[in-house]
């Protein structure tokens, strides 16, 4: 049976100004009787301490099985983790392609593992009202490393966006000291030079470049993209949307804050979203973007790039080094591919990256375990301590990496990662299990950037010089509001997704935009926005 505290926590403005840590982090944990849940826990576990359970423990964890480094039971990660913490993790492996669906089924049925990583806000919202997941903000006093980073890095505005109507949050987020921009456009630099064109700085510049490529190679689609399954245009709509001041693809959310109007508007019906669609429609209509970009597999997109049928693709640092360049080296040895700084759009020279990343849900069943306190200490060490984060990312000093007197980390000569040691016979992720997206994300800037090449550091320097985007205010729903909103959100999002593609691909004329917005209104857009804005106003009134 799920344990759930239904009492609404009163949060005053003074408490929130101290990050709400008094109101919604440790108070509940102190008030609750945890004496029966401390088996295996350290009596004195504090900031910077190495966590080690006082008896052998095991915790189940949902494991997102990535095809680039499939799960291996013999990984050093598992054995070394147990050696350091006295904890054995029991992974429930789920293929990457089925992760979200399988997670929903397991959580909804009450059969989820205790630890549930790789959850992107607001995905946790669907599980709050049932009591299936724990209000983790109640237990931050058990997590000194997370609590310390929240305070020192002033993450209150970001954490406020995770809060539910009870003032609590139900997702332990991956946290960054500084924003980290990751995705942009990768272009064939050799083709740019052949055409005598500079690296494009804006999306309009990119349009000019693609037109020149099309004129030189009329049989090509200069831009053919990947990452469209399961979200059509997932990465592309994200990065173009960011430049236009909206949310698309992977980062689509129904509501967007209109600072000038001081209220939320519906994203898929907004003017910035329309402008994003108009830009992409122009690329497709003029043969500059492959219409299959929104439906093809990653392998198909990579093959087109490798075969010279395209010259641009969305990329991050890892894909550039691990996928595209090796592909091109086999087919076009003279090709040079570079990831350019995110092109600037109407939103201006911004860094759209957040300091929050995907995070960890904790099953409510865990609260009943005699080892609950030990589990929260373990999660705190692995995901939030400096030592745990370094371990998850780099592995074992002396085996997979070395560190000099200044603290600079270097892979051992026989270990490769993102092309840093291309002659290394072993791979940090594939052969050892480190640098694994289930465990390794976030942290201090030097750790996040520790795998970056000089080339990637140049990209980061450009992005970090730009103005960070402002954190949008929260609008937490009550349980009843969430239930109603969920009924509206699915048909609204389906209609936005379908018509976004139709507009971009020319299957529906842009002259029908107003009719499309009217169709969204027929699917309760106005009622949804009214719910959002009332929730936001209530939160502001109650929390200052």
């Amino acid at each position: 049976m799920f344990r759930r505290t239904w009492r609404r926590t009163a949060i005053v403005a003074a408490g929130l100004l101290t990050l709400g840590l008094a109101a919604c982090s440790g108070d509940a944990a102190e008030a609750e009787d945890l004496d029966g849940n401390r088996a295996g826990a350290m009596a004195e576990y504090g900031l910077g301490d190495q966590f080690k359970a006082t008896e052998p423990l095991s915790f189940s964890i949902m494991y997102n099985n990535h095809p680039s480094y499939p799960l291996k039971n013999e990984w050093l990660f598992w054995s070394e983790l147990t050696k350091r913490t006295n904890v054995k993790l029991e992974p429930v492996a789920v293929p990457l392609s089925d992760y979200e669906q399988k997670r929903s089924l397991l959580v909804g049925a009450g059969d989820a593992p205790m630890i549930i990583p790789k959850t992107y806000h607001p995905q946790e919202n669907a599980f709050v009202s049932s009591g299936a997941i724990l209000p983790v903000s109640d237990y931050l006093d058990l997590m000194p490393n997370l609590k310390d980073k929240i305070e020192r890095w002033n993450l209150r505005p970001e954490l406020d966006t995770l809060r539910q109507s009870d003032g609590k949050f139900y997702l332990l987020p991956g946290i960054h000291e500084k924003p980290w921009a990751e995705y942009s456009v990768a272009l064939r630099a050799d083709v740019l030079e052949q055409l005598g064109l500079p690296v494009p700085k804006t999306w309009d510049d990119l349009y000019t470049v693609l037109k020149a490529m099309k004129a030189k190679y009329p049989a090509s689609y200069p831009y053919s993209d990947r990452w469209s399954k399961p979200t059509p245009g997932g990465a592309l709509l994200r990065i173009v949307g960011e430049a236009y001041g909206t949310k698309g693809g992977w980062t689509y959310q129904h509501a967007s804050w209109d600072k000038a109007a001081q209220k939320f508007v519906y994203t898929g019906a907004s003017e910035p979203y329309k402008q994003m669609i108009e830009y992409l429609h122009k690329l497709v209509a003029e043969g500059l973007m492959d219409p299959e970009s929104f439906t093809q597999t990653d392998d198909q997109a990579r093959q087109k790039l490798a075969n010279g049928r395209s010259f641009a693709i969305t990329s991050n640092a890892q894909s550039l080094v691990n996928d595209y360049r090796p592909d091109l080296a086999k087919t076009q040895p003279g090709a040079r591919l570079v990831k350019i700084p995110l092109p600037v759009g109407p939103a201006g020279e911004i860094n759209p990256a957040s300091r929050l990343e995907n995070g960890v849900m904790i099953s409510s069943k865990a609260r009943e375990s005699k080892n609950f306190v030990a589990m929260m200490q373990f999660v705190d060490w692995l995901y939030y301590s400096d030592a745990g984060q370094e371990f998850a990312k780099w592995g074992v000093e002396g085996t997979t990496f070395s560190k000099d007197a200044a603290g600079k980390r270097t892979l051992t000569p026989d270990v490769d990662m993102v092309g840093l040691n291309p002659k290394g016979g072993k791979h940090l992720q594939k052969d050892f299990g480190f640098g694994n997206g289930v465990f390794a994300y976030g942290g201090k800037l030097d750790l996040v950037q520790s795998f970056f090449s000089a080339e990637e550091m140049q990209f980061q320097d450009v992005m970090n010089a730009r103005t960070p985007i402002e954190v949008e205010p929260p609008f937490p729903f009550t349980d009843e509001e969430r239930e109603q909103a969920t009924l509206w959100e699915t048909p609204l999002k389906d209609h936005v997704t379908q018509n976004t593609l139709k507009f971009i691909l020319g299957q529906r004329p842009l002259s029908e935009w107003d009719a499309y917005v009217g169709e969204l209104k027929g699917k309760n857009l106005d009622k949804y926005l009214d719910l959002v804005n009332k929730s936001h106003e209530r939160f502001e009134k109650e929390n200052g």
Side-chain angles (χ1 to χ4, degrees):
M1 183 174 178
F2 293 130
R3 181 186 182 96
R4 175 89 189 272
T5 301
W6 292 98
R7 177 181 58 83
R8 183 179 181 81
T9 303
I11 309 173
V12 297
L16 204 57
L17 287 174
T18 60
L19 223 90
L21 291 177
C24 44
S25 68
D27 279 3
E30 291 175 357
E32 289 184 39
D33 180 8
L34 292 170
D35 288 345
N37 308 96
R38 295 184 180 274
M42 293 175 61
E44 300 293 334
Y45 171 68
L47 178 65
D49 290 342
Q50 169 64 55
F51 169 77
K52 190 159 190 176
T54 59
E55 61 185 71
L57 300 177
S58 63
F59 301 125
S60 57
I61 184 168
M62 193 160 180
Y63 184 87
N64 188 344
N65 202 0
H66 201 292
S68 295
Y69 42 94
L71 172 66
K72 294 180 181 178
N73 293 327
E74 62 271 20
W75 275 342
L76 178 62
F77 174 85
W78 304 117
S79 56
E80 185 68 22
L81 182 67
T82 300
K83 177 181 175 183
R84 296 189 185 197
T85 65
N86 211 13
V87 169
K88 179 181 180 181
L89 286 178
E90 300 174 347
V92 177
V94 178
L96 171 66
S97 58
D98 296 331
Y99 190 76
E100 291 185 20
Q101 181 179 10
K102 183 69 171 178
R103 181 189 58 208
S104 294
L105 291 173
L106 289 175
V107 175
D111 296 327
M114 287 189 175
I115 304 171
I116 312 165
K118 297 299 285 187
T119 299
Y120 291 83
H121 177 72
Q123 292 172 343
E124 79 278 13
N125 290 355
F127 312 118
V128 170
S129 61
S130 68
I133 58 173
L134 207 63
V136 287
S137 58
D138 279 351
Y139 303 97
L140 291 191
D141 279 344
L142 303 178
M143 309 182 75
N145 291 288
L146 172 57
K147 193 172 179 179
D148 173 69
K149 285 180 168 62
I150 290 172
E151 292 174 316
R152 284 193 296 110
W153 296 350
N154 188 26
L155 285 161
R156 178 182 65 85
E158 283 88 347
L159 289 183
D160 279 353
T161 66
L162 304 181
R163 298 189 192 280
Q164 302 293 325
S165 61
D166 57 7
K168 305 178 183 184
F169 54 87
Y170 291 69
L171 180 72
L172 293 169
I175 55 176
H176 287 263
E177 181 182 13
K178 302 290 183 182
W180 170 35
E182 186 178 9
Y183 291 87
S184 188
V185 181
L187 283 174
R188 283 278 299 275
D190 55 310
V191 177
L192 282 179
E193 291 176 3
Q194 182 186 67
L195 297 171
L197 295 171
V199 172
K201 294 183 178 180
T202 69
W203 286 99
D204 287 340
D205 292 343
L206 181 63
Y207 167 75
T208 300
V209 164
L210 297 176
K211 276 188 74 79
M213 289 176 168
K214 182 72 172 182
K216 179 69 175 179
Y217 301 99
S220 73
Y221 281 115
Y223 201 143
S224 187
D225 213 21
R226 64 180 297 187
W227 287 318
S228 286
K229 294 181 180 296
T231 306
L236 178 64
L237 290 170
R238 168 184 171 170
I239 63 172
V240 180
E242 288 169 343
Y244 276 79
T246 190
K247 306 162 188 169
W250 285 341
T251 55
Y252 182 82
Q253 292 188 30
H254 292 276
S256 296
W257 180 247
D258 185 327
K259 188 175 181 181
Q262 287 292 292
K263 66 177 182 180
F264 283 93
V265 298
Y266 191 76
T267 303
S270 66
E271 184 61 26
Y273 197 85
K274 179 184 178 184
Q275 292 174 358
M276 174 193 72
I277 286 177
E278 289 172 337
Y279 177 82
L280 291 170
H281 168 77
K282 180 170 68 171
L283 297 189
V284 172
E286 297 185 21
L288 309 182
M289 172 160 281
D290 185 356
E292 294 180 355
S293 293
F294 303 91
T295 54
Q296 67 189 354
T297 65
D298 288 1
D299 286 345
Q300 288 172 322
R302 288 173 57 181
Q303 188 177 46
K304 290 175 181 178
L305 182 71
N307 292 340
R309 294 164 58 193
S310 67
F311 311 106
I313 191 168
T314 304
S315 182
N316 58 18
Q318 188 164 308
S319 296
L320 182 70
V321 174
N322 289 351
D323 297 341
Y324 309 145
R325 284 177 175 166
D327 290 347
L328 284 165
K330 296 174 185 177
T331 55
Q332 302 181 67
R336 290 188 297 110
L337 196 72
V338 297
K339 187 179 73 162
I340 67 174
L342 183 66
V344 176
E349 292 197 23
I350 59 166
N351 183 343
S354 170
R355 291 196 294 164
L356 300 187
E357 222 182 301
N358 69 83
V360 178
M361 296 188 297
I362 302 296
S363 170
S364 292
K365 293 186 299 183
R367 177 60 184 82
E368 309 300 331
S369 168
K370 66 179 182 179
N371 307 125
F372 172 68
V373 172
M375 191 191 78
M376 297 303 287
Q377 292 176 345
F378 167 78
V379 169
D380 178 67
W381 179 83
L382 178 58
Y383 285 95
Y384 299 106
S385 75
D386 293 347
Q389 289 177 333
E390 180 182 72
F391 166 74
K393 193 176 185 77
W394 278 87
V396 180
E397 188 171 0
T399 301
T400 59
F401 77 101
S402 59
K403 189 188 296 187
D404 64 18
K408 180 178 172 56
R409 308 170 190 87
T410 306
L411 290 167
T412 52
D414 62 335
V415 178
D416 185 31
M417 177 70 173
V418 292
L420 294 177
N421 275 343
K423 295 183 180 179
K426 299 175 183 176
H427 194 275
L428 189 65
Q429 292 172 310
K430 298 176 183 178
D431 297 312
F432 294 98
F434 299 107
N436 186 325
V438 175
F439 305 107
Y441 45 81
K444 292 180 178 178
L445 185 63
D446 79 289
L447 180 68
V448 171
Q449 296 183 342
S450 57
F451 283 146
F452 290 176
S453 64
E455 176 187 17
E456 178 63 16
M457 283 303 301
Q458 290 179 346
F459 173 88
Q460 293 297 326
D461 288 343
V462 172
M463 296 304 299
N464 289 335
R466 298 180 180 180
T467 304
I469 58 170
E470 295 183 18
V471 178
E472 293 191 345
F475 55 92
F477 292 136
T478 65
D479 292 336
E480 293 77 13
E481 290 168 342
R482 163 55 50 199
E483 184 177 356
Q484 179 60 73
T486 300
L487 294 176
W488 290 334
E489 284 173 345
T490 298
L492 281 169
K493 186 173 183 180
D494 287 347
H495 199 67
V496 170
T497 300
Q498 293 165 9
N499 284 276
T500 295
L501 294 185
K502 287 180 180 179
F503 284 131
I504 291 172
L505 297 176
Q507 297 168 354
R508 184 173 188 179
L510 287 164
S511 59
E512 294 186 8
W513 178 263
D514 289 344
Y516 153 74
V517 173
E519 292 157 9
L520 290 174
K521 290 179 180 292
K523 297 180 183 296
N524 298 297
L525 179 153
D526 290 329
K527 292 180 180 178
Y528 180 81
L529 274 182
D530 185 56
L531 201 62
V532 167
N533 283 302
K534 284 182 177 178
S535 299
H536 163 65
E537 291 166 7
R538 180 180 63 236
F539 185 87
E540 289 291 300
K541 181 179 179 180
E542 294 179 357
N543 300 301

